[in-house]
Amino acid sequence: MCSAFLCFIKRTVLAAMVCWMLLLTEVQFVLADENERWGIGQTATPEEIQAWDIAIRPDGKGLPPGTGNVEEGKTLYLQRCALCHGAEGKGGLNDKLVGRLPSGEFPFAEPGAPKKTIGNYWPYATTLFDYIRRTMPYQNPGSLTDSEVYSVTAYLLYLNEIIAADLQLSANNLATIKMPAVVRFVPDDRLQTSNVR
Amino acid sequence: MTRLIKNIKRRELLRQGVTATGALLAASALQANGRYMGPPVSVSGERAAEVNLKRQTLALTHSFTPLQQLHGIITPSDLHFERHHSGVPDISEENYKLLLHGLVERPLKFTLAELKRFPAVSRICFIECAGNCQDYFSLSAETTAQRLAGQTSQSEWTGVALSTLLKEAGLRPGAKWLLMEGGDAALMTRSVTLEKAMDDAIIAYAQNGEPVRPSQGYPVRLVLPGWEGSSCVKWLRRIEVGDQPWMTREETAKYTDPLKDGTVRQFSCVMDARSIITSPTFPQQLEKGWHEIRGLAWSGRGRISKVEVSVDGGGSWEPAELQQPVLDKAYVRFRKMWQWDGKERLLLSRATDETGYIQPRVKQLIDIRGQGSLRYHNNGVIGWRVNPDGSIYYDPVV
């Protein structure tokens, strides 16, 4: 039992308390930033990004300055790569790097398919530069200069009969080199159906 | 009476000023009634001495989970399969940062502690190497489930949703693909679609409740539920947002599927439905009578809706029971009691997922894709032959 006045006071106090609690809740538990940002993390500086951003794309984005050629590439290859990949990119302990197939042949889905190589399977020459620079030589990756990577890349492309012996390789022309298998690559189409593809 | 003597002994020991633990140890040396006091509490638990659970290693770069020795749906973290390219790097929290840059409004870097401050997500999902089962036709009859198909494991992964980090950095127009780069010696890289990144990708710092183990990517790895293990880059140190894929070696020269029609299927990241009977399998020896056929089934497309079991090489199929929980892009444990009559039998299992995809026979895959393509994504039905003498062997059924 309460008089109208008391009830009014009670209600006002209650309402004020609820408002205050809501306010508190808002401040402490709701993301204030309308863009859903938490403000956690620091700005990455251009220097930090540059130090790590070594990825090369098929369009050539990311290719560094420097230049290389087949002749220097051969010398380097024999010193730094042949031990594992064989004298001319074949017959080594590790991945076969050199090999072509007669034009029009692509028997990789058949039993006893040939080994996949740069010449018969790799769709982009930029991938070769990127991979050698980031991962090879296997036991000492990152030890080649950019020009040395251009040279070894040139030598391997030459052995695979993709470029001529006198080509000077650099950011100007690496991305324009057309690899034989590129036309064969298609995006995954399995998920369009529940049938096996 | 014995108890009384024990109590007296203990009181004596205590009176002599021996610590409580010492007393327990001393007491354990006193055999009474054939019972022994065991060792006291310890800071970390070990498996029972007679339990031998090990990954099986192959070359320096692969190890396999002992599927046939495990129960339930969680792989103990130390038994999670491995696939590394250039070994396990030694990265400390102090030396760790994650860079996020490219087509973003604010290039950001995060410490491990900062990553942990974001809203956390946890989910149970499998990770499977696309090359799992690639030695299907070359393995001998004496092959375990581990060696055949042990490049799959399941954990509860905890971390921050990649979508949370991408919102934090703000995507710029044109953003479509992300490059994921590891901090191992190979600086392993894969391109991932923005769609997947925003959907359910996790930047994981914990596995089954503890920090991710070094062989699984400590301090931080990418987890893409349902996608091939190769794309779940470990030791993740850099994410670059771009408008096209980078065409890294692992998504061109490797992890692509040459098909019969002369094309090469690329970015085939989703793992199709698979099941495998884990018990009874080689090297178990069966007795006549009741046994439970048990196994695991999973699909990168969604939930498993049905697993069927056959004991006559696929002549007839019976539905197995699915143990709860049945989770999205995760293992489900299936079970079926079976009475072995002593005759030669060929045990198979076949999974169907909620999209209606039915696990194919290997022959179907060969007919559609070609045998040379089975190096990756060989999810065909797996068989185990039970001989009249109770021995069980791997059978490369087609």
Side-chain angles (χ1 to χ4, degrees), chain B residues 11-202:
Chain B
R11 250 182 277 137
E12 268 172 20
L13 286 166
L14 284 173
R15 208 178 316 125
Q16 283 163 17
V18 184
T19 64
T21 315
L24 280 168
L25 283 174
S28 75
L30 306 169
Q31 307 175 20
N33 233 356
R35 284 194 278 154
Y36 301 79
M37 297 281 295
V41 292
S42 57
V43 290
S44 76
E46 301 292 335
R47 297 196 171 100
E50 65 182 4
V51 171
N52 187 18
L53 283 174
K54 294 234 155 52
R55 288 192 285 228
Q56 183 178 352
T57 58
L58 185 70
L60 301 172
T61 49
H62 301 66
S63 70
F64 299 72
T65 294
L67 298 177
Q68 70 280 5
Q69 289 173 284
L70 301 179
H71 302 269
I73 57 168
I74 297 293
T75 310
S77 300
D78 62 321
L79 300 175
H80 194 293
F81 86 89
E82 298 162 279
R83 171 74 180 96
H84 328 307
H85 287 268
S86 297
V88 180
D90 179 14
I91 305 170
S92 62
E93 174 164 4
E94 193 189 356
N95 298 325
Y96 180 76
K97 72 178 170 198
L98 176 65
L99 276 190
L100 171 54
H101 69 104
L103 286 180
V104 294
E105 278 156 18
R106 288 164 301 279
L108 292 173
K109 63 176 173 191
F110 305 101
T111 62
L112 182 57
E114 282 166 340
L115 290 176
K116 289 179 183 168
R117 279 176 58 200
F118 284 104
V121 287
S122 286
R123 85 174 277 171
I124 293 171
C125 63
F126 72 87
I127 294 182
E128 180 179 20
C129 178
N132 201 18
C133 275
Q134 69 176 273
D135 297 324
Y136 193 79
F137 287 112
S138 58
L139 292 169
S140 78
E142 298 187 352
T143 294
T144 58
Q146 174 170 26
R147 176 61 187 85
L148 172 69
Q151 292 218 287
T152 178
S153 305
Q154 177 153 291
S155 300
E156 183 198 42
W157 298 100
T158 301
V160 45
L162 177 50
S163 60
T164 303
L165 296 187
L166 293 175
K167 276 179 205 149
E168 199 68 23
L171 290 171
R172 292 212 322 249
K176 277 206 189 81
W177 286 84
L178 287 80
L179 183 75
M180 301 292 173
E181 185 179 86
D184 57 338
L187 297 178
M188 208 278 202
T189 43
R190 284 295 306 258
S191 307
V192 173
T193 59
L194 180 64
E195 198 189 348
K196 182 66 176 172
M198 294 303 284
D199 180 18
D200 57 5
I202 301 172

Side-chain angles (χ1 to χ4, degrees), chain A residues 118-141:
Chain A
I118 296 161
N120 66 29
Y121 199 83
W122 287 47
Y124 302 100
T126 46
T127 308
L128 186 56
F129 185 99
D130 176 275
Y131 183 72
I132 294 172
R133 182 161 70 155
R134 73 173 57 244
T135 311
M136 291 295 136
Y138 192 65
Q139 77 291 14
N140 196 11

Side-chain angles (χ1 to χ4, degrees), chain B residues 6 10 17 22-23 27 38 50 62 68 116 146 150 156 163 182 198 201 210 216 233 239 259 314 337 346 349 353 391:
Chain B
K6 258 193 175 171
R10 195 149 78 214
E50 65 182 4
H62 301 66
Q68 70 280 5
K116 289 179 183 168
Q146 174 170 26
E156 183 198 42
S163 60
M198 294 303 284
E210 62 174 349
Q216 291 309 318
V233 174
I239 302 173
L259 304 176
M337 284 303 288
L346 181 56
S349 65
D353 71 23
S391 61

Side-chain angles (χ1 to χ4, degrees), chain A residues 158-179:
Chain A
Y158 165 74
L159 287 178
N160 278 290
E161 298 165 44
I162 289 162
I163 63 168
D166 59 354
L167 187 81
Q168 194 70 28
L169 202 60
S170 72
N172 293 330
N173 54 11
L174 180 58
T176 66
I177 293 167
K178 195 156 186 277
M179 301 293 278

